[in-house]
Amino acid sequence: MKFFIKCCLCFSLFFSGFSFAEQMKKLGKYDVHYIAFPSTFVQPQTAKALGLKRRNNMALVNISVLDSQSKKGQKVTVTGFAKNLIGHHKELTFIEVDEGNAIYYMAQVKHSNEETLRFTIYVDDGVSKQELKFQNKMYVDGN
């Protein structure tokens, strides 16, 4: 599993100039890092271990919530959905990956080639619910 996290970090650094590079937004007392990228970027053994599908028309949405002060990963509830430009609603089901020193929330979403998805993600810590919005143009991977 640590290999998966290293891959995500590597991809976010290597592809920082592309539309699927990791981004961060401050929401209340949290720094919320988010990225959406092709599921085929995940190694087969990692995908199997996490129960993820590797398909050329599936994207992986990865959310990490850090306390702004301590920079420690936070256990929260992450929910959300994606909509394409004509309003087709795609519910996101997040799984939690807790590696002790890092906590990630991942969901998959099916898409068409060159489909723009507008993501609305809710981060709920039990006290307050914050909203994150972003959009990505998704491409069908040729692999």
Side-chain angles (χ1 to χ4, degrees):
M1 214 133 9
K2 290 187 184 221
F3 178 76
F4 173 74
I5 293 168
K6 288 178 184 174
C7 282
C8 286
L9 291 174
C10 180
F11 281 123
S12 68
L13 293 172
F14 182 74
F15 294 110
S16 62
F18 295 96
S19 63
F20 52 87
E22 181 187 38
Q23 298 176 38
M24 190 277 291
K25 185 170 183 182
K26 186 161 179 57
L27 295 177
K29 62 182 180 178
Y30 300 120
D31 292 339
V32 179
H33 296 260
Y34 57 97
I35 184 172
F37 58 92
S39 64
T40 53
F41 283 13
V42 178
Q43 293 294 316
Q45 63 272 24
T46 304
K48 184 177 181 181
L50 294 174
L52 301 173
K53 298 174 185 171
R54 293 180 75 249
R55 295 196 180 129
N56 65 351
N57 65 341
M58 294 283 283
L60 182 66
V61 180
N62 188 6
I63 306 292
S64 178
V65 181
L66 305 177
D67 179 274
S68 295
Q69 297 293 320
S70 69
K71 302 299 182 195
K72 290 185 180 180
Q74 301 297 298
K75 282 194 172 272
V76 296
T77 301
V78 178
T79 57
F81 61 90
K83 278 188 181 180
N84 64 15
L85 295 179
I86 60 170
H88 183 248
H89 183 91
K90 301 175 185 198
E91 199 67 31
L92 299 174
T93 303
F94 286 89
I95 61 168
E96 179 183 285
V97 178
D98 185 345
E99 296 213 338
N101 61 344
I103 302 169
Y104 299 88
Y105 299 90
M106 293 181 278
Q108 290 194 275
V109 61
K110 190 174 180 180
H111 60 82
S112 301
N113 194 39
E114 297 189 23
E115 182 176 23
T116 298
L117 295 178
R118 293 180 177 157
F119 295 92
T120 301
I121 309 294
Y122 299 102
V123 176
D124 187 347
D125 65 3
V127 176
S128 67
K129 190 175 195 177
Q130 304 289 332
E131 181 181 78
L132 169 68
K133 289 189 173 204
F134 66 97
Q135 75 176 33
N136 266 38
K137 189 169 191 176
M138 308 309 294
Y139 298 92
V140 171
D141 187 14
N143 292 337

